[in-house]
Amino acid sequence: MLMNRAETLLVNSPPRRWLQRLYEAPLLARLGGRTLGAHVAEIGCGSGYGTRLILDVFGAATVDAVDLDPAMIERARRRLARYDGRVRLAVGDATDLPAAFDADDGTYDAVFDFGIIHHIPAWRDAVAEAARVLKPGGRFYFEEVTATALARPTYRALFDHPTKDRFTAGEFLAELSRHQLEFGEQWRTRTGGDYLLGVAERG
């Protein structure tokens, strides 16, 4: 599901980038380590700011980044032009990575989700796809907005999200377990369970 105008402005704003760079990325790196020299996928890359963090902060060698919105992919292409040969961008669906990148089972060392799965109506399919394309021992880095946040009046008034079958933090973690994504103590909730961040390893 595409973001509405209000959410597009928010995710591309300086405060959002500040939060992602100075809080979310360092926390995920502490929980799961860096991805030095790795071949990585990013689902829902938006304008490419998270992709840049994957390269610069996490140390990935290459990133395949997909987004449903062609306008976002064009913005990402401009932002990431200096990473020539290290980034592939495609318009596509996070539940069908073969359509975007011919991604076979066990293609990637890591998959990153900077807050996109809560936008996907078939969110369980997105989790399953992330697990499928990870190598054994590969890591799934996730930062998500839960049903607790989506039920708040401010979220409902400002943003458009799927309304059926949204996940709590516990339900999201349980779905990871169903796909042999093992997270142990490598996760955190924030703001009363509104946000879930963590790293899970493919068994």
Side-chain angles (χ1 to χ4, degrees):
M1 182 173 183
L2 295 177
M3 294 184 295
N4 67 8
R5 179 173 173 77
E7 193 164 10
T8 298
L9 290 172
L10 175 66
V11 300
N12 290 301
S13 68
R16 170 59 184 150
R17 292 174 186 165
W18 178 89
L19 181 67
Q20 201 170 5
R21 173 172 285 278
L22 297 182
Y23 177 72
E24 292 171 7
L27 176 57
L28 291 174
R30 286 197 301 274
L31 292 173
R34 297 174 70 202
T35 57
L36 296 173
H39 181 38
V40 173
E42 183 189 7
I43 57 175
C45 67
S47 64
Y49 191 74
T51 316
R52 196 165 78 183
L53 294 178
I54 295 167
L55 292 162
D56 291 347
V57 176
F58 290 89
T62 57
V63 182
D64 289 349
V66 65
D67 198 278
L68 201 58
D69 187 344
M72 284 292 193
I73 288 293
E74 282 308 309
R75 293 181 73 166
R77 202 175 305 283
R78 292 192 295 271
R79 168 169 280 131
L80 300 167
R82 68 186 178 96
Y83 297 95
D84 185 44
R86 296 180 63 195
V87 178
R88 290 197 302 168
L89 295 165
V91 176
D93 192 323
T95 66
D96 187 12
L97 294 178
F101 298 116
D102 296 322
D104 293 328
D105 294 1
T107 294
Y108 298 106
D109 301 297
V111 174
F112 280 77
D113 157 32
F114 286 119
I116 192 60
I117 289 181
H118 71 280
H119 281 282
I120 300 173
W123 66 271
R124 291 178 177 84
D125 293 346
V127 172
E129 183 70 343
R132 183 189 70 78
V133 299
L134 278 172
K135 297 175 181 178
R139 287 163 286 169
F140 177 46
Y141 293 76
F142 55 90
E143 174 268 312
E144 271 304 329
V145 181
T146 71
T148 308
L150 297 180
R152 297 191 187 280
T154 50
Y155 260 83
R156 295 205 311 267
L158 291 173
F159 309 131
D160 293 330
H161 293 97
T163 56
K164 296 181 180 178
D165 188 30
R166 298 301 86 196
F167 50 81
T168 64
E171 289 166 341
F172 191 85
L173 294 172
E175 192 65 21
L176 298 184
S177 294
R178 287 189 60 242
H179 296 282
Q180 291 76 53
L181 291 167
E182 301 164 359
F183 46 83
E185 300 299 316
Q186 307 310 113
W187 59 278
R188 303 288 185 271
T189 57
R190 293 293 182 262
T191 321
D194 284 10
Y195 305 101
L196 172 67
L197 301 95
V199 182
E201 184 173 307
R202 182 76 162 92

